[in-house]
Amino acid sequence: MLKKRIIVCLDVKDGRTTKGVKFQNNIDIGDPVEMAAEYYRQGVDELVFYDIIASARGRGPILDLISRVASEVFIPFCVGGGIGSIEDIRSTILAGAEKISLNSQAVKNPNLITEGARIFGNQCIVLGMDAARDAEMPSGYRVYINGGRVKTDFDALAWAKKAVSLGAGEIVLNSIDADGTKNGYEINLTRMIAENVDVPVIASGGGGKPEHLADVLKEGKADAALIASMVHNGSYTVGGIKKELAGQGVPVRL
């Protein structure tokens, strides 16, 4: 059986790790390089680094910071935020990233998914998707961009399927409604996407205790769970979470 992955997310703003609730009221919580090194020591399977204001400010990735984080971790490292061209993808990979997350820029230019996958391989191109409940949408969820600030006309399920058809090799699915609440993942949204695409789906937004991860990995059919608050605030360690998951019958790398 394939092991389920535990992934720590570092949201970065102005070179510092930050954390908010439902994409608002972000506070500074530390140095991303030091935090990446600590989570690597704790046994995290992958690391995701999001520059949460790059797209809104119309600038590219901070390559120096990405390079410093990459030098501290020897696991898959995914980078997103402000990556709007093939040259941005190439320079980010050269800075040390194994995967590139395309979110706002993919909505604005879907061809970037296709070209990125053609040149660098599907496994390298991750669709980052921020979705919130919206009864007007066929699936019940709408896609947002620019760090959750701007609503689009994209339906979450339709966009997930389209992005995979264009070449995305994985989806990081973030529930804006659950983000930072620590009340549990959006199970219905996660399961809906996971059942309708043939690439791994990573659940994001709402993880507050190991039971939440077990729920989304089992009931939500996610291939991996992304966590932030629950380890950033010191409530849990990655190793501790994995032991609890293993005890609940979830296959993880110990």
Side-chain angles (χ1 to χ4, degrees):
M1 183 183 284
L2 277 177
K3 302 280 198 226
K4 301 288 190 176
R5 291 170 287 150
I6 307 304
I7 303 171
V8 169
C9 177
L10 300 174
D11 284 335
V12 177
K13 179 182 179 184
D14 298 325
R16 300 282 294 175
T17 307
T18 181
K19 195 71 195 96
V21 176
K22 299 186 181 180
F23 286 32
Q24 296 179 345
N25 305 318
N26 285 68
I27 56 168
D28 183 320
I29 57 170
D31 176 66
V33 181
E34 291 173 7
M35 293 174 75
E38 173 57 27
Y39 294 133
Y40 176 63
R41 282 193 292 273
Q42 289 183 18
V44 74
D45 296 309
E46 296 187 21
L47 201 67
V48 172
F49 173 111
Y50 286 136
D51 188 324
I52 63 170
I53 54 173
S55 287
R57 289 186 178 171
R59 64 158 171 76
I62 307 173
L63 298 175
D64 168 60
L65 186 57
I66 292 165
S67 177
R68 285 165 53 216
V69 171
S71 71
E72 297 288 340
V73 300
F74 302 93
I75 49 175
F77 175 39
C78 179
V79 173
I83 298 171
S85 67
I86 292 299
E87 198 43 58
D88 283 342
I89 295 175
R90 183 176 285 111
S91 59
T92 304
I93 292 170
L94 290 173
E98 278 85 16
K99 300 179 182 181
I100 302 301
S101 178
L102 302 174
N103 189 323
S104 304
Q105 301 298 335
V107 169
K108 295 168 186 173
N109 176 19
N111 190 49
L112 189 59
I113 299 173
T114 309
E115 281 299 287
R118 183 180 67 79
I119 296 169
F120 304 103
N122 300 68
Q123 81 292 336
C124 180
I125 304 301
V126 178
L127 176 73
M129 180 163 68
D130 298 321
R133 291 185 204 104
D134 189 328
E136 292 181 8
M137 289 283 126
S139 71
Y141 297 87
R142 184 187 293 272
V143 175
Y144 284 72
I145 59 171
N146 289 5
R149 296 175 192 86
V150 178
K151 76 184 209 177
T152 72
D153 293 329
F154 284 44
D155 174 75
L157 178 57
W159 175 227
K161 291 160 103 170
K162 171 81 169 170
V164 170
S165 75
L166 291 171
E170 196 166 66
I171 295 174
V172 173
L173 175 61
N174 191 52
S175 164
I176 295 175
D177 301 301
D179 182 76
T181 63
K182 296 183 276 188
N183 292 329
Y185 295 87
E186 175 79 79
I187 302 286
N188 292 335
L189 171 64
T190 307
R191 184 171 52 230
M192 176 179 65
I193 302 294
E195 287 180 342
N196 282 282
V197 297
D198 57 3
V199 300
V201 172
I202 299 163
S204 170
K209 55 187 180 180
E211 291 82 353
H212 293 155
L213 280 78
D215 287 345
V216 82
L217 293 169
K218 290 177 176 177
E219 294 173 43
K221 302 191 176 178
D223 297 272
L226 198 107
I227 54 175
S229 304
M230 61 190 291
V231 286
H232 293 342
N233 63 20
S235 300
Y236 298 92
T237 64
V238 174
I241 292 167
K242 285 187 170 187
K243 280 182 184 155
E244 290 208 38
L245 289 174
Q248 294 183 48
V250 178
V252 291
R253 292 186 190 89
L254 293 170

